[in-house]
Amino acid sequence: MEKRSTKASSNDPKHKHDPDDEDFYLNNDDDEYDDDEDDDNDYDDYMDDTDDLEYTSSNASKYDPTPSVEIFTSQNSTVTPNSSYASTSLKNLSQSTTNQPDLSKSLTKRNIELDEEFKYEVLSPDKIVQYMTECIADVNSVLELTPTITRTLLHHFKWDKEKLMERFYDGDQDRLFREAHIVSPFRPNTYKRTTSSQSTRSSRLKEFCCEICFMQYTEDNMSGLECGHKFCKPCWREYLTTKIMDEGMGQTISCAAHKCDILVDDTSVMTLLQDPIVKIKYQHLITNSFVECNRLMRWCPAPNCSNAIKAQYFDAQPVKCDCGHVFCFSCGELWHDPVKCKWLKKWIKKCDDDSETSNWIAANTKECPKCQVTIEKNGGCNHMICKNQACRSEFCWVCLGPWEPHGSSWYNCNRFNEDDAKKARDAQEKSRHALQRYLHYCNRYMNHHQSLKLEQKLTASIREKMEEMQQHNMSWIEVQFLRKAVEVLCQCRQTLMYTYAFAFYLKRNNHSIIFEDNQADLEIAVEKLSGYLEREITSDNAVETKQKVQDKYRYCEQRRKVLLDHVHEGYDKDYWEYQEDL
Amino acid sequence: MVSIATARIKREFKEVVTSDELTKCKIKLELLNDNFTELKGEIGGPPDTPYEGGTYQLEIKIPETYPFNPPKVRFLTKIWHPNISSVTGAICLDILKDQWAAAMTLRTVLLSLQALLATPEPDDPQDAVVANQYKTNNKIFVKTARHWTNIYAGSTLAAEPEFDSKVKQLIDMGFDNHKSRVALSSHLWNVEHAIESLYN
């Protein structure tokens, strides 16, 4: 039900990262229900759910795991359904209502003209669990297994239901269970644990030796999985705690016995563990692997936000979390139009190379060749196994090639190579020259980055000015242009910032020259607008100033659109050539 | 309260020390401090291998979370083996890393290490130079390993006198004893190549 479109977000000048501003909207929205641009549904939703709003908006950004303690047994969620949608609807509503009528009309029009829609939902932690339970129940309605087995199977297929179904019904089921490290529930199990009600008095009194601590225990105190390996409960508890708390394992904890790869199930974990902190961490890890393995989901990267975004298909599109953070669904960075994820990642890595931390990262880490996660090697041999639950690729630390052929042809990553050393020296010469070029782009990128950071300060000072102007002869609605101007300014700065990352990798051709002209034009206009906002707002010549600022921000907006459209057109028509080797 | 780690090491220690079977395999264990966190292990080179006759000292450190995490083991005695670093003594063995299971003991670790000496895994090397030699020039590998056993692990079995003379040749040129041996070992006992690498 949550509908948003690419352009609505990328052009929507109401984008905010500042949580304070959310309040700002909320406080003021009473004044402006005279909105006719917005979708009726949103409005209805808003009316239906008004009561829940306060609850959601205050809780949306906090991870409160308590309601999910029983996640794996119960499907009830304590959060009122739709409340998270409602709060976003409200934001949408209030955002568009604060637009000046002419502007919002043009925005809406643009959306209709330009867009296929990118649909997504914001899921709170409870919703994530609920969604996971739904996925499991959905599959289970066909497979009819226990939820924990289904969950493990689904995880094995990276939460691709179709793939699981296909393998389950077409392939060798025993093999499937073996691959997923589960004891097949269909196989008559010789080890089947005897429940205490079945066990006779004598066997209950019989003592067993726990192979972990070597202590004697009665059967009541021993426990094990379907595989039949039994250990005493205190050892199990300790084992699970170590795995969960120290090694951060959730999905992939196996039986404690040597060479037994049967995975622990949720019920066992929940009954064996006592410490609620460990239990919560376990659930958190399970949810985490659910989100991370799922291509159509991504955590909101904002600090202290525990929401996730669920999209209908995978694409580099802007998404806005309930916490107000707008980011790219594909890479998780701030929304970075016009530059593409791949180049942005390269660029950010390059920029970061300057700091001490990144020096350390460069010296001590490499990236997994498959999933690009950063890896530190802290000992052992060169046979690396990626710890990223969704990847687990095996590669050689030295050459980063797949591990497989190393058995026979690892000779290539042998010791230091003279030729390579010479090449490295030549490369250094070249890089001196490249550095000059890099600094040119980096300085400009950082400049906008820095200005963006000062956004909060500017917002505050503008708010003061707005108050001041209202003291004089202007109405509330008449001073709204100032906030709009700040938003346009920030948006333009963000775009400009990323144009430098884009331009850095661009090969020079006719279109790149047009692009640079557009960039320069926007930059000049933005600096002027910035100047107006910082200096020339006084209540004396309010009407004149308003006209000037409005003209300028409209011009900026227009230039920004021209620039982005040109880049997008270039993507469609292959104007852009890149310098891969930078 | 006595931690699980301490309680277990105590029992394991007793088990290893008193087991006849283990004495037969030339496996020993010694405590280095009173709180059972540092031990010294010793394994004999298995028969019919280049390591036969040698005695290998091992450094064993018990983490607080033992037995839920593996002990940290490293060779103190220098050894020429594809899965053991000839420089640091670090070991590449799955059970000391992700294949560790809480139900395993120091006894199983020491036995596994002994088995590793008998059956190297050159496809999962710790020391690429040694592993390469093992695969491409096995004869020289066996000789080199035997030579190292002789020099560092106190074996009295047949040495390689020609190797000794080559090492001496380099020592006479002013190079360090061990460094010379490493250089020669890494370069298939080709004196010229070894000298070149030492100068670089």
Side-chain angles (χ1 to χ4, degrees), chain A residues 336-379:
Chain A
H336 51 72
D337 207 21
V339 68
K340 292 206 164 177
C341 305
K342 173 188 164 190
W343 300 107
L344 179 67
K345 190 170 162 76
K346 257 184 121 164
W347 172 254
I348 289 176
K349 190 168 180 244
K350 200 173 176 67
C351 290
D352 282 351
D353 278 350
D354 295 346
S355 75
E356 276 306 301
T357 314
S358 37
N359 282 342
W360 185 90
I361 289 174
N364 296 289
T365 70
K366 293 185 181 182
E367 268 149 35
C368 166
K370 200 170 145 207
C371 70
Q372 267 67 49
V373 76
T374 314
I375 295 174
E376 180 201 358
K377 187 163 119 85
N378 57 4

Side-chain angles (χ1 to χ4, degrees), chain A residues 211-215 231 235 238-239 242 246-247 256-259 380-383 385 403 406-408 410-411 413-415 418, chain B residues 4 8 11-12 65 67-69 92 95 97-99 101-105 122-129 131-132 135 186 200:
Chain A
E211 281 187 53
I212 293 176
C213 61
F214 293 165
M215 306 292 250
F231 303 102
C235 278
E238 194 64 34
Y239 173 71
T242 317
D246 299 351
E247 293 176 37
H258 180 39
K259 289 205 170 144
C381 59
N382 289 325
H383 183 177
I385 301 171
W403 183 257
H406 280 65
S408 48
W410 48 268
Y411 183 69
C413 32
N414 205 333
R415 288 207 174 158
E418 298 270 321
Chain B
I4 298 186
R8 226 186 89 147
R11 296 190 65 122
E12 282 188 41
T65 48
F68 303 105
N69 280 320
C92 185
I95 60 155
K97 287 187 275 179
D98 53 334
Q99 290 300 307
M104 289 172 44
T105 62
D123 292 344
D124 216 342
Q126 169 73 33
D127 197 314
V129 178
N132 186 24
K135 293 185 78 150
S186 309
N200 288 332

Side-chain angles (χ1 to χ4, degrees), chain A residues 262-479:
Chain A
I262 295 301
L263 297 176
V264 292
D265 57 283
D266 302 331
T267 339
S268 300
V269 173
M270 285 306 159
T271 40
L272 285 164
L273 288 177
Q274 285 173 335
D275 188 344
I277 295 172
V278 185
K279 283 189 184 183
I280 287 165
K281 175 92 191 267
Y282 176 72
Q283 280 154 350
H284 192 73
L285 286 167
I286 294 291
T287 334
N288 193 29
S289 79
F290 171 66
V291 175
E292 282 186 355
C293 292
N294 206 320
R295 234 174 95 79
L296 300 179
M297 292 185 81
R298 177 177 279 281
W299 288 114
C300 169
N304 297 324
C305 177
S306 48
N307 293 341
I309 305 289
K310 175 166 88 81
Q312 302 222 321
Y313 58 90
F314 184 84
D315 198 3
Q317 293 283 357
V319 289
K320 183 175 185 182
C321 177
D322 287 353
C323 71
H325 190 66
V326 182
F327 59 97
C328 170
F329 184 74
S330 163
C331 68
E333 288 292 334
L334 273 182
W335 178 234
H336 51 72
D337 207 21
V339 68
K340 292 206 164 177
C341 305
K342 173 188 164 190
W343 300 107
L344 179 67
K345 190 170 162 76
K346 257 184 121 164
W347 172 254
I348 289 176
K349 190 168 180 244
K350 200 173 176 67
C351 290
D352 282 351
D353 278 350
D354 295 346
S355 75
E356 276 306 301
T357 314
S358 37
N359 282 342
W360 185 90
I361 289 174
N364 296 289
T365 70
K366 293 185 181 182
E367 268 149 35
C368 166
K370 200 170 145 207
C371 70
Q372 267 67 49
V373 76
T374 314
I375 295 174
E376 180 201 358
K377 187 163 119 85
N378 57 4
C381 59
N382 289 325
H383 183 177
M384 307 298 290
I385 301 171
C386 181
K387 266 218 172 183
N388 178 0
Q389 295 294 312
C391 172
R392 318 248 349 130
S393 76
E394 299 187 23
F395 60 94
C396 167
W397 180 255
V398 178
C399 70
L400 294 181
W403 183 257
E404 209 122 87
H406 280 65
S408 48
S409 57
W410 48 268
Y411 183 69
N412 282 340
C413 32
N414 205 333
R415 288 207 174 158
F416 187 73
N417 187 327
E418 298 270 321
D419 285 347
D420 285 349
K422 194 170 177 323
K423 263 183 222 155
R425 275 198 300 277
D426 290 347
Q428 210 170 21
E429 290 288 313
K430 247 186 232 164
S431 82
R432 291 259 157 94
H433 179 73
L435 189 67
Q436 296 301 322
R437 184 174 179 276
Y438 162 69
L439 284 175
H440 169 89
Y441 289 100
C442 187
N443 286 338
R444 281 154 186 80
Y445 172 85
M446 285 303 176
N447 172 38
H448 287 297
H449 188 70
Q450 209 52 42
S451 309
L452 257 183
K453 275 193 191 159
L454 298 174
E455 168 195 357
Q456 265 184 334
K457 221 173 114 191
L458 184 63
T459 314
S461 84
I462 288 295
R463 202 175 295 173
E464 256 171 47
K465 277 180 186 155
M466 285 163 74
E467 298 269 320
E468 196 185 310
M469 289 171 90
Q470 280 179 71
Q471 307 279 312
H472 290 73
N473 49 6
M474 282 187 126
S475 70
W476 182 86
I477 199 85
E478 276 176 308
V479 296

Side-chain angles (χ1 to χ4, degrees), chain A residues 20-266:
Chain A
D20 293 340
D21 264 64
E22 230 75 77
D23 297 330
F24 195 78
Y25 294 130
L26 290 170
N27 295 339
N28 291 314
D29 57 15
D30 292 352
D31 303 35
E32 22 176 12
Y33 282 136
D34 54 333
D35 158 67
D36 51 7
E37 312 295 339
D38 205 77
D39 194 344
D40 282 340
N41 290 332
D42 281 349
Y43 189 75
D44 290 341
D45 280 340
Y46 168 68
M47 291 311 277
D48 291 340
D49 290 300
T50 336
D51 294 341
D52 297 318
L53 280 170
E54 212 158 274
Y55 171 73
T56 335
S57 51
S58 60
N59 274 309
S61 60
K62 282 190 188 109
Y63 178 48
D64 175 15
T66 346
S68 59
V69 166
E70 285 184 295
I71 50 173
F72 306 110
T73 48
S74 129
Q75 298 197 18
N76 293 336
S77 167
T78 50
V79 173
T80 322
N82 286 340
S83 52
S84 66
Y85 306 150
S87 70
T88 41
S89 315
L90 173 74
K91 283 178 203 165
N92 282 351
L93 182 72
S94 52
Q95 280 174 17
S96 17
T97 49
T98 47
N99 284 342
Q100 306 250 313
D102 55 335
L103 198 80
S104 50
K105 202 173 274 168
S106 74
L107 269 177
T108 326
K109 213 171 147 199
R110 222 181 285 156
N111 297 342
I112 296 165
E113 279 166 11
L114 285 171
D115 266 328
E116 42 355 316
E117 280 177 341
F118 184 68
K119 292 182 188 172
Y120 65 91
E121 272 177 49
V122 180
L123 300 183
S124 63
D126 299 315
K127 286 263 175 192
I128 298 168
V129 173
Q130 198 188 336
Y131 174 56
M132 181 168 77
T133 329
E134 275 165 26
C135 284
I136 295 169
D138 190 23
V139 174
N140 246 356
S141 63
V142 185
L143 300 190
E144 296 180 325
L145 299 164
T146 61
T148 170
I149 291 182
T150 312
R151 189 178 57 72
T152 316
L153 283 174
L154 274 168
H155 175 84
H156 182 66
F157 288 102
K158 308 229 163 101
W159 296 89
D160 186 332
K161 292 179 207 171
E162 278 74 35
K163 239 189 203 163
L164 168 61
M165 294 292 192
E166 202 177 289
R167 272 293 306 276
F168 193 84
Y169 287 111
D170 296 344
D172 178 350
Q173 280 192 8
D174 278 347
R175 214 182 99 202
L176 168 68
F177 282 113
R178 223 171 20 249
E179 277 173 14
H181 306 308
I182 309 168
V183 173
S184 166
F186 303 125
R187 217 173 12 182
N189 195 337
T190 41
Y191 300 116
K192 208 77 179 169
R193 61 181 106 160
T194 44
T195 55
S196 52
S197 61
Q198 286 172 321
S199 64
T200 59
R201 215 184 135 77
S202 63
S203 84
R204 218 184 301 166
L205 290 173
K206 206 173 129 193
E207 294 224 314
F208 291 86
C209 176
C210 166
E211 281 187 53
I212 293 176
C213 61
F214 293 165
M215 306 292 250
Q216 300 290 319
Y217 285 97
T218 57
E219 191 179 348
D220 289 352
N221 285 313
M222 301 289 282
S223 182
L225 309 172
E226 295 292 321
C227 55
H229 301 110
K230 302 222 166 194
F231 303 102
C232 73
K233 285 179 182 170
C235 278
W236 262 117
R237 206 168 294 138
E238 194 64 34
Y239 173 71
L240 293 173
T241 309
T242 317
K243 289 279 171 194
I244 294 165
M245 301 307 276
D246 299 351
E247 293 176 37
M249 282 168 85
Q251 183 61 58
T252 46
I253 304 176
S254 59
C255 169
H258 180 39
K259 289 205 170 144
C260 178
D261 58 6
I262 295 301
L263 297 176
V264 292
D265 57 283
D266 302 331

